Amino acid sequence: MTEPFTQADDARKELIAADHAEGRLDVWLAAELEGEFSRNRVKALIEQGAVEVNGATITEPKRKIRPGDTVTIVLPEPEDPEPQGEDIPLEVLYEDDDLIVISKPAGLVVHPGAGNWTGTLVNALIHHCGDSLSGIGGVRRPGIVHRLDKETSGVMVVAKNDLAHRHLADQFADHGRTGPLERAYQAVVWGRPRNLHGTIDAPLGRAHDRTRRAVKRHEGGDAREAITHYEVMERYGENPDATCLASLVECRLETGRTHQIRVHMAHIGHPLIGDPEYGGSYRTKANRLPEPARTIVNTLHRQALHAYLLAFEHPATGEVMHFEAPIPEDMETILEALRSL
C-alpha cells in the first residue's frame, strides 16, 4: 500500500517493483497507486515523459515491468484551467483540502458548455478554491462527480484532487447500493400520486430533442436503467374523491440519470410545477388555484425541485458526512400558498 500521491509530496514518488511484478507498466503503476489515478491518466503521464524506469525516461505505456525495477513518477505542475475563475458568490456548507460542499442556487449552470461558457459553478469554484485545487487529470479544475440541472437547487459535493475525485465518482457510480451515498430531493408536483409512496422503475433515453429525455419501453440503445423512489409528504387542495391539486413529494434516487425525477414524475401523470419541458401541458391547472396561489405558481420560472439532502463517505477520512440545504425561498413561497388552500 502506498501513501496518497499529491502535489504536496513535491510531485515525486519512487516505487520498487516486487519480486512477482509483471505485465504492462501502465497497468502495474495504476495498481500500485491504488486507484488515485485512472489507467488512462497513468498512460498519459507515461506518454508525456513523467515516468522513469531505472533512471531512464519511458514513454511507452506497454513497456514490461520487471521485478526489482525502480519506477519514478513525477507529476507535472497542474495546467491552468480552460475555464477562468469568476467571482461568483457561493453558499459553502463545508470545505477542506479534498472537497467542497455547496448549496447551488437555481439558475446556476454547473459546467461550461454551449451557450454557457462563463458564469457557471465551475468558474465560481476555480475562483473560490484557487491553489487548493491540486489538479484533476493534470488540470487545476474542480472535479464534478454529479450535476444538478440549471434550474434545480440544492446540495452538491465537488472534488479538489484526483484521489477525492475517483473515490467520490465511484460512490456516485454505485448509487449507494453498497455504500453510504444518499440523495434526496423535494419536489412540488401537480395532483397526487395514487399511492402515497412507491417506486418508478422506467428506463430513460434521449427523446427526439437531444436535450430532453423520455421513458423507453426497454433498456438498450441509449436507454439506461432509471429508478426513483418517492413518498408524498404533503397534499394541497384535497377533494372528496381523495384527489388534490398539488403535493410535496420526496424523491430518492437509486440511479442518477439526466432529468430523472422530472421525467419519472411526468411519466406517472404528476409533473413538477413550473417544469417547462415535461409539465408545460399542465400549466393551465394553475387557473384552478385561488389567489394568491395562482399568481405565485404562474410566476415560478423553474421546476419546483430541490436537492435537500446529500450523504457520502469522505474519500480521505472514511467518515460518513451528511448535508442538508433548506428549501429555497421561491419554493417555500409556493408551499405556503398551497398550504393555505
Side-chain angles (χ1 to χ4, degrees):
M1 178 177 178
T2 62
E3 292 298 316
F5 186 24
T6 68
Q7 212 70 30
D9 297 313
D10 294 327
R12 184 181 184 89
K13 183 180 286 293
E14 186 175 280
L15 304 168
I16 307 295
D19 291 342
H20 60 274
E22 61 180 3
R24 290 171 56 121
L25 174 62
D26 57 346
V27 176
W28 176 85
L29 188 54
E32 285 294 305
L33 294 175
E34 300 222 343
E36 294 175 53
F37 302 132
S38 67
R39 180 176 163 185
N40 284 339
R41 172 67 173 136
V42 170
K43 181 179 178 181
L45 287 170
I46 294 171
E47 292 173 340
Q48 293 166 16
V51 175
E52 297 177 358
V53 177
N54 301 326
T57 299
I58 302 298
T59 58
E60 182 51 66
K62 64 182 181 182
R63 190 264 197 199
K64 298 297 183 182
I65 194 74
R66 299 179 180 86
D69 279 347
T70 299
V71 179
T72 305
I73 177 171
V74 181
L75 280 182
E77 281 295 316
E79 301 171 6
D80 288 333
E82 285 295 331
Q84 298 301 306
E86 297 177 39
D87 189 4
I88 300 169
L90 289 174
E91 182 179 349
V92 178
L93 304 181
Y94 175 84
E95 183 175 8
D96 62 22
D97 291 340
D98 298 294
L99 55 85
I100 181 170
V101 181
I102 61 104
S103 180
K104 186 187 89 67
L108 183 63
V109 175
V110 170
H111 203 280
N116 296 286
W117 294 111
T118 61
T120 72
L121 176 61
V122 167
N123 296 110
L125 288 168
I126 290 171
H127 174 84
H128 173 87
C129 297
D131 290 340
S132 68
L133 294 173
S134 68
I136 305 295
V139 179
R140 200 185 301 278
R141 62 182 174 87
I144 304 298
V145 293
H146 68 125
R147 302 190 187 196
L148 297 177
D149 294 340
K150 175 183 177 181
E151 300 300 348
T152 297
S153 54
V155 188
M156 286 188 64
V157 60
V158 180
K160 288 187 174 184
N161 55 55
D162 270 313
L163 179 61
H165 186 251
R166 288 186 59 79
H167 278 247
L168 288 170
D170 287 345
Q171 291 183 60
F172 277 89
D174 182 62
H175 303 300
R177 291 187 173 104
T178 62
L181 183 76
E182 188 178 0
R183 303 167 70 185
Y185 295 70
Q186 293 166 317
V188 188
V189 305
W190 288 114
R192 192 211 81 179
R194 181 181 303 242
N195 299 314
L196 295 183
H197 56 84
T199 297
I200 307 167
D201 185 348
L204 298 181
R206 290 187 185 277
H208 296 302
D209 180 342
R210 69 180 184 85
T211 64
R212 289 167 56 93
R213 296 298 184 271
V215 168
K216 302 291 186 176
R217 189 181 300 271
H218 304 289
E219 289 183 50
D222 73 331
R224 303 173 69 188
E225 178 188 37
I227 301 173
T228 303
H229 305 284
Y230 72 86
E231 181 175 0
V232 177
M233 309 302 293
E234 296 180 9
R235 292 165 282 179
Y236 315 112
E238 286 194 271
N239 299 308
D241 62 358
T243 62
C244 59
L245 294 177
S247 304
L248 174 64
V249 177
E250 180 187 87
C251 296
R252 290 178 179 260
L253 297 180
E254 189 172 322
T255 58
R257 309 303 179 203
T258 300
H259 300 177
Q260 179 172 318
I261 292 173
R262 298 165 63 189
V263 179
H264 271 175
M265 295 310 298
H267 176 64
I268 64 171
H270 302 285
L272 275 58
I273 288 178
D275 192 334
E277 292 188 74
Y278 305 105
S281 61
Y282 282 72
R283 288 196 66 85
T284 56
K285 282 187 173 291
N287 296 331
R288 299 170 57 188
L289 299 174
E291 293 293 356
R294 181 190 309 168
T295 297
I296 291 171
V297 167
N298 282 330
T299 54
L300 180 68
H301 298 298
R302 59 112 165 184
Q303 63 269 6
L305 182 62
H306 176 64
Y308 83 93
L309 181 148
L310 177 64
F312 57 88
E313 180 183 285
H314 193 285
T317 68
E319 177 187 359
V320 177
M321 310 189 76
H322 291 79
F323 298 94
E324 293 191 25
I327 203 160
E329 184 178 356
D330 58 351
M331 283 181 60
E332 185 59 39
T333 300
I334 284 182
L335 292 177
E336 290 176 358
L338 292 173
R339 286 168 183 150
S340 69
L341 296 180

